[in-house]
Amino acid sequence: MVARLANEALALNAAIAELDALIENRFRQHQHAEIILSMPGFGPLLGAEFLAATGGDLTQFIADRLAGVAGLAPAPRDSGRLSGNLRRPRRYDRRLLRVLLLSALTSIRWCPACKIYYDRKRAGGTRHAQAVIALARRRLNVLWAMLRDRTEYQAMPPAAAG
């Protein structure tokens, strides 16, 4: 029984690897693939998820609208005399938010400019989750501008990042 279960697990792993390869090949055929892959924190699978969540065509979005769809733009929760209360919107695309948060978490480790931004937010008193959300929003704005201008990511020197 153990050998049969092990063989099934190996067959599943092979099927998953084959599916990942198909997704990567299909993603690399998209017109924005190289631009998305140039940004630290995005690989072929996260890039494919990003394109799937946005429909592959970003001409229908402006940066703020895309952030609102992703759940990264705060919505007002004012009542009476209270103003300035902000919260996550009730409706947002959880798949898109997941992609952006995963890429932000990855970029903290591998991108010096993102690490500096995250550390600055943490030093300012924000919690980890808030700092990651702020980084994801900033990266979304950069990614949107890269796709709009059709330019690849260019890393800034760590001293100039901020």
Side-chain angles (χ1 to χ4, degrees):
M1 179 185 274
V2 172
R4 184 176 53 86
L5 290 175
N7 286 335
E8 288 178 13
L10 289 173
L12 284 175
N13 284 341
I16 290 171
E18 182 181 328
L19 187 60
D20 284 348
L22 288 172
I23 291 171
E24 182 176 350
N25 288 336
R26 180 74 172 134
F27 169 70
R28 289 191 185 275
Q29 293 173 2
H30 195 273
Q31 62 182 350
H32 298 309
E34 292 306 315
I35 296 170
I36 293 171
L37 287 177
S38 71
M39 186 167 212
F42 274 100
L45 295 180
L46 271 183
E49 282 187 61
F50 175 78
L51 289 176
T54 58
D57 181 25
L58 295 173
T59 58
Q60 61 187 352
F61 294 108
I62 59 171
D64 293 338
R65 173 75 177 122
L66 187 57
V69 169
L72 293 174
R77 188 174 70 185
D78 299 338
S79 173
R81 287 188 278 175
L82 294 176
S83 64
N85 257 345
L86 301 174
R87 62 168 173 77
R88 177 173 287 149
R90 289 186 183 166
R91 292 175 161 191
Y92 61 93
D93 189 341
R94 283 157 175 74
R95 296 176 306 159
L96 185 56
L97 179 64
R98 176 187 169 275
V99 167
L100 295 170
L101 291 179
L102 283 176
S103 74
L105 283 170
T106 305
S107 70
I108 291 170
R109 178 174 266 185
W110 302 108
C111 176
C114 295
K115 174 74 172 155
I116 290 170
Y117 181 80
Y118 171 80
D119 289 341
R120 191 177 74 220
K121 285 290 187 180
R122 291 287 292 168
T126 60
R127 296 185 322 230
H128 167 73
Q130 292 171 327
V132 171
I133 288 170
L135 178 62
R137 171 64 190 264
R138 182 176 184 171
R139 289 172 46 82
L140 177 64
N141 289 343
V142 170
L143 181 61
W144 182 83
M146 288 169 34
L147 292 171
R148 178 196 64 205
D149 300 339
R150 298 186 184 279
T151 58
E152 292 189 2
Y153 182 79
Q154 298 169 357
M156 293 172 32

